Amino acid sequence: MDLQTITYLVVGATFALYIGIAIWARAGSTSEFYVAGGSIHPVLNGMATGADWMSAASFISMAGLISNMGYGGGLFLMGWTGGYVLLAMLLAPYLRKFGKYTVPQFVGDRFYSKGASSVAVICLITASVTYIIGQMTGVGVAFSRFLGVSNATGIFVGMGIVFIYAVFGGMKGITYTQVAQYCVLIVAYTIPAIFISLQLTGNPIPQLGLGSDMVGSNVALLTKLNQIVVDLGFGKYTTSLPGSKLNMFVYTVSLMIGTAGLPHVIIRFFTVPKVKDARSSAGWALVFIAILYTTAPAVAAMAKMNLLRTVHPGIVAGTIDLLAPDAQLKYDERPDWMKRWEVTGLLKFEDKNNDGRIQYYNDKSKDPKFAAAGWAGNELTVNADIIVLANPEIALLPNWVIALVAAGGLAAALSTAAGLLLAISSAISHDLLKDMWMPDLSEKGELMAGKIAMAGSIVVAGWLGLNPPGFAAGTVALAFGIAASTIFPVLMMGIFNKEMNKQGAIAGMLSGLFVTLFYVFAHKGLFFIKGTDYLNLIGGANSFFGITPEAFGTIGALVNFGVAWIVKKVTPPCPEHITHMVESVRIPRGAKAVDGSRAH
């Protein structure tokens, strides 16, 4: 059976499973729509959280970025997993103790202000919509290659699938769907990794294969990879950093506190019965996430090795000079996988020296040996988002494995998109309509408003996904920066600083959001519209101590904390009954919800 047919069958079967589960577990009340009735078992919730968390950025893009960046790409692993530790220890049990549906509800009640809740909604929607752009980018990449359609068509199909199981299922349907999606994506990620680790190192465990010798030699995989990339003008794979050490540090911190502030992840801890289950869920989520995250560095390095061995066949023999005229792959003899990815536009070849061979190297290198060999510039452009999806094809694995990876990539992107859409939907229907504008809205009306808000969000997300500001993981990093600079500080101050008042919280959130968006838009364009950037206004790219826009969330968070503290000092103190409420939230005993109703 050919690859296209198998892919249709595997992807079609998984989609049928997701939609079937959504219909079986569809929400019948607002409680089930928003938090699945608070009845999900911690292990299942941990698995669903893992699927919610391991988005297109994790499954499709992260290993590609590590493959491109080398050691420096480890900041994604440290930041995203470290953030879960912060979430489990500092936020999850206290927010579950509070017992509300959403983050804006907590902010509104804790800071006795509908204005604070409104600002939290704005911050939540900004972060979530930016995050969804990354998911839709991943959906377009996966569909365009494996279903033989254009990137735009792939996004439209993905929008339709998410609409069906998210709008009709609500959190209850999404949770059980995400459990199935986790099973699909983790199998799809690990099976090719095991195959490729066996091929290259003879070790079936990818995490161990990464440090093993290559088959038929006494040279370690990473040692060989270092030698090859240095010969091609790149920095050492095992020591390269993305910019300065300062940028590496603030980037990692931004991802960590952004993780702890992401509303679609936080809302997961409202779906369990008890406070202790919130901690347990976070622990199980870390276990399920670790399976993929510890595999990713091996996938990245092995994909890099296989790509280089394809373009430079002499590497396999180990004796041929990479710069020799016959050491590069002839374009006419390129493998079928390259031809298939060229159709998507995500892999491009340009014969700059007209020799009919592919030169793949760092053409920014000042080493004169490349010019002496007649090389006129790098000729192969490989989009970072295709590395994981193309990996089994590069390694010539069976068609069913390739089809499984396609299903896994789509599961990762669609599961996170659904969680984000639910967070946006609940913010609009519950926090804006029900709590502020239409307090007499019936439960049925609120449920319908939530579904309409979700449908509208899908349309906006799809449109933005057609014109993303960068790679899936890079776009997602921007979303983390927004969450880090707005939501995380206000939650931390709300829980651990009983004296923080509403004026400080509102000023902090707005200042953090403004500073971060100002810096991001300077690089990426206003609202990510190309051609509207204003780098000259801020003194050029990465002008603030060399910090990249993806890493700027840490600076935004510091501004948020600083402004909030200053404003608190010059405004009326927090009411006494609110300070008592905060003290009760800080003692996570039992599942009894705090009564914040008198805050209004």
Side-chain angles (χ1 to χ4, degrees):
M1 193 180 294
D2 67 280
L3 174 59
Q4 199 68 49
T5 304
I6 292 176
T7 304
Y8 277 127
L9 289 174
V10 172
V11 172
T14 56
F15 280 1
L17 174 65
Y18 306 152
I19 293 171
I21 290 173
I23 293 171
W24 166 73
R26 63 186 180 275
S29 67
T30 52
S31 175
E32 289 184 343
F33 187 81
Y34 294 130
V35 292
S39 60
I40 304 299
H41 190 277
V43 175
L44 288 180
N45 196 53
M47 197 176 289
T49 305
D52 208 350
W53 175 237
M54 290 186 293
S55 62
S58 293
F59 188 100
I60 295 175
S61 196
M62 181 175 66
L65 284 173
I66 296 174
S67 183
N68 283 357
M69 296 166 66
Y71 167 78
L75 66 89
F76 291 98
L77 300 171
M78 294 184 291
W80 285 340
T81 50
Y84 251 99
V85 178
L86 290 180
L87 186 61
M89 301 300 294
L90 299 180
L91 297 179
Y94 304 112
L95 292 172
R96 178 62 187 85
K97 170 72 173 176
F98 198 83
K100 298 296 182 182
Y101 283 156
T102 67
V103 169
Q105 262 196 313
F106 169 80
V107 173
D109 284 0
R110 161 60 184 88
F111 294 105
Y112 52 98
S113 167
K114 291 186 177 180
S117 181
S118 300
V119 173
V121 169
I122 292 169
C123 297
L124 180 152
I125 291 175
T126 304
S128 297
V129 169
T130 306
Y131 201 155
I132 292 177
I133 300 172
Q135 308 318 305
M136 290 304 176
T137 302
V139 169
V141 170
F143 269 122
S144 63
R145 163 62 192 87
F146 291 107
L147 298 185
V149 297
S150 68
N151 186 68
T153 304
I155 289 174
F156 291 138
V157 174
M159 287 165 60
I161 297 292
V162 172
F163 178 86
I164 292 172
Y165 73 75
V167 171
F168 293 110
M171 179 58 90
K172 187 178 179 184
I174 286 172
T175 297
Y176 290 110
T177 301
Q178 285 174 336
V179 170
Q181 286 169 328
Y182 176 80
C183 296
V184 171
L185 74 87
I186 204 65
V187 168
Y189 202 86
T190 52
I191 285 181
I194 291 168
F195 270 102
I196 294 168
S197 183
L198 275 170
Q199 279 184 356
L200 290 176
T201 68
N203 194 319
I205 303 174
Q207 292 89 336
L208 299 179
L210 181 62
S212 302
D213 291 346
M214 295 192 69
V215 171
S217 76
N218 294 321
V219 180
L221 170 68
L222 288 174
T223 301
K224 183 69 173 178
L225 189 54
N226 269 339
Q227 176 193 334
I228 295 167
V229 296
V230 169
D231 284 347
L232 293 173
F234 297 99
K236 271 192 175 183
Y237 187 83
T238 53
T239 58
S240 61
L241 291 177
S244 64
K245 287 184 179 179
L246 173 64
N247 187 65
M248 177 92 169
F249 173 74
V250 295
Y251 204 152
T252 305
V253 171
S254 180
L255 293 176
M256 285 182 69
I257 63 177
T259 295
L262 278 175
H264 78 289
V265 176
I266 292 171
I267 202 173
R268 277 252 145 252
F269 298 102
F270 299 147
T271 66
V272 292
K274 302 174 185 175
V275 172
K276 69 176 183 179
D277 293 336
R279 286 191 192 275
S280 179
S281 282
W284 280 108
L286 270 172
V287 170
F288 292 126
I289 290 167
I291 298 172
L292 187 147
Y293 271 48
T294 57
T295 308
V299 170
M302 292 172 187
K304 186 85 168 181
M305 176 62 78
N306 276 331
L307 176 63
L308 293 171
R309 284 173 22 139
T310 300
V311 178
H312 300 279
I315 293 172
V316 180
T319 56
I320 298 176
D321 179 7
L322 296 179
L323 301 181
D326 59 348
Q328 299 95 48
L329 178 70
K330 286 184 178 179
Y331 180 68
D332 291 340
E333 296 176 3
R334 69 195 187 283
D336 289 339
W337 73 265
M338 293 184 76
K339 296 175 184 176
R340 290 192 289 261
W341 279 103
E342 278 182 299
V343 173
T344 68
L346 299 171
L347 184 146
K348 299 174 183 176
F349 170 71
E350 181 186 356
D351 195 357
K352 295 179 179 178
N353 62 353
N354 300 312
D355 67 348
R357 292 180 179 273
I358 301 173
Q359 279 89 48
Y360 177 60
Y361 71 110
N362 179 16
D363 52 11
K364 295 184 178 68
S365 171
K366 297 178 180 178
D367 195 323
K369 67 182 181 182
F370 299 116
W375 293 13
N378 179 56
E379 297 178 344
L380 187 68
T381 304
V382 183
N383 188 301
D385 287 344
I386 78 170
I387 292 296
V388 169
L389 298 178
N391 206 13
E393 295 182 88
I394 299 171
L396 304 177
L397 298 185
N399 284 348
W400 67 268
V401 178
I402 299 171
L404 189 62
V405 170
L410 291 167
L414 297 175
S415 62
T416 302
L420 289 162
L421 289 165
L422 190 70
I424 294 171
S425 166
S426 60
I428 293 172
S429 63
H430 194 76
D431 301 317
L432 286 183
L433 287 180
K434 177 71 173 176
D435 283 359
M436 296 183 199
W437 299 341
M438 302 170 66
D440 296 328
L441 187 66
S442 67
E443 181 173 301
K444 186 176 180 180
E446 185 183 346
L447 201 58
M448 180 56 66
K451 292 179 178 181
I452 292 171
M454 192 179 286
S457 300
I458 290 173
V459 173
V460 173
W463 179 77
L464 290 169
L466 293 172
N467 300 283
F471 299 127
T475 306
V476 165
L478 296 175
F480 279 74
I482 295 168
S485 63
T486 57
I487 299 171
F488 176 77
V490 79
L491 292 179
M492 287 293 291
M493 291 184 291
I495 293 170
F496 295 102
N497 186 346
K498 62 185 181 182
E499 296 177 357
M500 181 53 64
N501 59 14
K502 65 180 179 181
Q503 292 90 345
I506 293 171
M509 282 189 287
L510 289 175
S511 59
L513 181 65
F514 174 77
V515 166
T516 304
L517 288 183
F518 180 80
Y519 195 75
V520 167
F521 288 164
H523 290 77
K524 306 291 184 179
L526 288 167
F527 301 100
F528 307 124
I529 298 171
K530 292 175 183 176
T532 60
D533 56 277
Y534 44 91
L535 283 175
N536 292 336
L537 191 61
I538 64 168
N542 309 332
S543 55
F544 190 82
F545 298 101
I547 295 174
T548 59
E550 292 84 0
F552 204 74
T554 301
I555 309 303
L558 292 174
V559 170
N560 188 328
F561 280 118
V563 169
W565 185 82
I566 292 169
V567 171
K568 183 200 78 169
K569 288 291 186 183
V570 297
T571 50
C574 186
E576 186 178 349
H577 70 273
I578 296 295
T579 62
H580 292 320
M581 183 178 73
V582 175
E583 287 176 354
S584 65
V585 168
R586 291 245 296 275
I587 305 171
R589 292 194 299 253
K592 187 178 178 182
V594 174
D595 180 16
S597 58
R598 56 183 173 167
H600 285 296

